[in-house]
Amino acid sequence: MEFGGRFGVIDSFRHNGLVPALALLQQMGATGLDFLGLTHPHEDHYSGMGEIFDYFATRDGVGEFWRYPALDWKNLYPVLKARIFRNAGAPIIQAQANACVNELHDFYRKLLQRPGLIIRNLEIGFHWTLWEPVSCRVLAPAGAITIQAAERLAQEVTYSDQKREPLNDYSFALHFQAMDHSIFLMGDVSKKSWICSKSDSLWPGLITPGRNVFLKASHHGSDSDNPDWLLSAIKGADSTKFAVTRYTPSGLPRSKFMARLASFDDGESHRLSEKPSEAGPSFEPECLELEITSSGVQCRRWSLDQLSALVWN
């Protein structure tokens, strides 16, 4: 996200050695980050974050780290390692998974050792001014879920037959209000999290969008991850709609979800990648840039080819 020469990043990924978000930030001339956010600890959301952090730590720095609440790293790390150990997959798959967890471990070590870094634990009800006049409100997850996390994670480490704790339950979702424009940013928020969030006493305070709604849907694109109330609010807004989703070669998003997006008859619905073919699916990651100005919010899509050219040229 960019506003008046100030920058922030939520989630990252690495593809063939390239971190698209970092390449884009370098192209834009960023020397510091006001915030770096991780919606939840899955590889396609955290890989490359350590490289982003290292780059700005040696320049103007990173002001805040936004993290999913309750999943304290000292409790989460042994759980992720235990999951790898219990995985019956091939050794090469286990080695790759172990490398991913170690990457996240190194990233957290850097965060905790960084003097002056503000760590903001996000859950529903948090509301603050990010950049005047841009405010940020947390939509999920609810405290009712996060307070159970430590106990469940401890059980998973202790008992080998304990069902895996779904980390998507702790993914945060954000609503940015810039003047009369709205931006919705989702992690892979689970249906369970949305249900608990709706019961929160602070939930009615959500601002109904008036113009130019931008939705970055969870990349899975499932109905459970994108509740009807949110899609209905966007469809009922007064002006342009811009819906965005990205997804993996597994055949997602769900056709029902895409049909709902396509029902925005007076706006636009954009997908970041073409649907993978059954014959040979390929995932081409793209980077989504949101620029907030006094005249509105601009959304740009950067392909991997574009970002690779920025790096190698």
Side-chain angles (χ1 to χ4, degrees):
M1 296 184 67
E2 176 191 5
F3 176 77
R6 302 173 72 176
F7 301 89
V9 175
I10 297 177
D11 287 352
S12 173
F13 60 89
R14 184 187 293 105
H15 185 74
N16 291 339
L18 172 70
V19 182
L22 179 56
L24 180 55
L25 287 163
Q26 291 171 332
Q27 169 68 12
M28 298 167 70
T31 58
L33 292 179
D34 282 12
F35 63 88
L36 180 60
L38 175 57
T39 60
H40 65 292
H42 282 158
E43 179 195 358
D44 57 332
H45 291 257
Y46 70 70
S47 62
M49 274 206 163
E51 293 176 45
I52 294 175
F53 186 81
D54 287 343
Y55 180 83
F56 290 103
T58 58
R59 290 164 174 81
D60 292 338
V62 178
E64 298 185 355
F65 174 61
W66 299 354
R67 66 181 283 264
Y68 42 88
L71 296 182
D72 187 275
W73 182 241
K74 68 178 183 293
N75 296 324
L76 181 60
Y77 181 63
V79 171
L80 297 180
K81 298 291 279 190
R83 289 183 179 185
I84 296 171
F85 179 76
R86 293 169 184 162
N87 191 343
I92 188 171
I93 300 298
Q94 286 192 324
Q96 291 172 346
N98 193 59
C100 290
V101 172
N102 288 339
E103 177 184 358
L104 187 58
H105 180 61
D106 290 341
F107 172 61
Y108 262 88
R109 179 178 52 81
K110 293 173 184 176
L111 289 175
L112 297 176
Q113 293 176 351
R114 184 68 178 177
L117 178 69
I118 297 173
I119 298 181
R120 193 183 291 265
N121 301 318
L122 301 187
E123 66 181 23
I124 185 172
F126 285 29
H127 190 199
W128 72 99
T129 298
L130 175 60
W131 300 310
E132 187 64 40
V134 182
S135 64
C136 183
R137 182 186 299 270
V138 183
L139 305 183
I145 286 181
T146 61
I147 59 177
Q148 303 170 11
E151 179 181 351
R152 291 178 177 177
L153 291 171
Q155 290 175 349
E156 186 175 333
V157 173
T158 305
Y159 305 108
S160 61
D161 59 345
Q162 180 73 21
K163 184 178 180 181
R164 287 189 175 191
E165 178 70 356
L167 302 181
N168 287 0
D169 286 350
Y170 309 99
S171 179
F172 66 69
L174 303 176
H175 172 230
F176 296 92
Q177 186 78 13
M179 290 74 73
D180 54 353
H181 305 279
S182 288
I183 307 167
F184 290 93
L185 283 176
M186 307 293 133
D188 297 337
V189 185
S190 70
K191 183 176 183 179
K192 177 181 178 181
S193 183
W194 285 127
I195 291 174
C196 289
S197 298
K198 281 280 285 188
S199 65
D200 194 288
S201 61
L202 295 173
W203 191 256
L206 176 66
I207 301 171
T208 301
R211 292 176 52 196
N212 293 325
V213 179
F214 295 81
L215 168 66
K216 186 273 185 184
S218 62
H219 75 262
H220 298 297
S222 67
D223 289 325
S224 62
D225 293 341
N226 298 275
D228 287 342
W229 65 265
L230 181 55
L231 297 179
S232 298
I234 292 170
K235 188 175 180 181
D238 298 332
S239 187
T240 306
K241 291 83 182 172
F242 192 115
V244 181
T245 186
R246 68 175 178 86
Y247 45 95
T248 60
S250 57
L252 297 171
R254 313 280 168 81
S255 57
K256 183 177 179 182
F257 174 72
M258 291 311 301
R260 185 176 290 276
L261 291 182
S263 68
F264 296 165
D265 55 5
D266 58 347
E268 292 182 276
S269 178
H270 294 277
R271 287 175 290 181
L272 294 187
S273 303
E274 293 302 318
K275 187 173 183 179
S277 66
E278 295 181 2
S282 61
F283 178 36
E284 180 74 355
E286 296 186 85
C287 200
L288 178 65
E289 175 196 347
L290 295 174
E291 179 186 9
I292 306 168
T293 68
S294 59
S295 59
V297 182
Q298 301 296 322
C299 180
R300 300 184 182 91
R301 295 176 293 162
W302 290 77
S303 71
L304 188 64
D305 287 342
Q306 289 175 299
L307 293 169
S308 297
L310 296 179
V311 173
W312 305 123
N313 292 338

